[in-house]
């Protein structure tokens, strides 16, 4: 006769809340990257127009372009940081309620 087979319990199903939070976090990352690229591009466009109209030196034009692209990136960083802190605070609030 055969020995009894060991019973294996399947792992519990993942919580729906966890996947919803992961999707929300992924959407925030996508939006942050998209906004960052857009704002850096807009900064470069605006900076190049200003640099071409107002400055003659290549070094000064490069500095204006760097400043304008950096401003777009900095604004995006500030906004994304605020959004991700809100997600972190919501996660902390939901974990204390359980």
């Amino acid at each position: 006769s055969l020995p009894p087979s060991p019973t294996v319990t399947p792992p519990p199903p993942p919580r729906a809340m966890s996947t919803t939070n992961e999707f929300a976090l992924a959407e925030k990352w996508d939006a942050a990257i998209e906004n960052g690229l857009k704002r850096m591009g807009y900064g470069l466009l605006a900076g190049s127009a200003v640099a071409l109209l107002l400055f003659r030196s290549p070094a000064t034009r490069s500095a204006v372009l760097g400043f304008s692209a950096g401003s777009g990136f900095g604004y995006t960083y500030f906004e994304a940081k605020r959004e991700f802190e809100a997600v972190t605070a919501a996660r902390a609030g939901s974990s204390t309620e359980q």
Side-chain angles (χ1 to χ4, degrees):
S1 99
L2 296 171
S5 62
T7 57
V8 177
T9 58
R15 297 184 334 183
M17 194 70 160
S18 160
T19 57
T20 305
N21 286 341
E22 289 174 10
F23 285 135
L25 189 61
E27 286 178 6
K28 293 211 184 285
W29 269 108
D30 291 343
I33 292 170
E34 180 182 353
N35 287 337
L37 291 174
K38 282 182 186 178
R39 289 187 179 132
M40 283 180 65
Y42 294 153
L44 282 172
L45 284 174
S48 63
V50 169
L52 286 174
L53 292 175
L54 298 179
F55 301 105
R56 300 187 87 170
S57 165
T60 308
R61 286 182 178 175
S62 297
V64 170
L65 287 175
F67 176 77
S68 59
S71 296
F73 178 77
Y75 184 71
T76 300
Y77 176 79
F78 172 75
E79 192 174 79
K81 181 179 175 187
R82 188 175 37 152
E83 288 289 325
F84 286 120
E85 285 175 352
V87 169
T88 305
R91 276 189 180 177
S94 67
S95 67
T96 57
E97 292 173 2
Q98 293 177 355

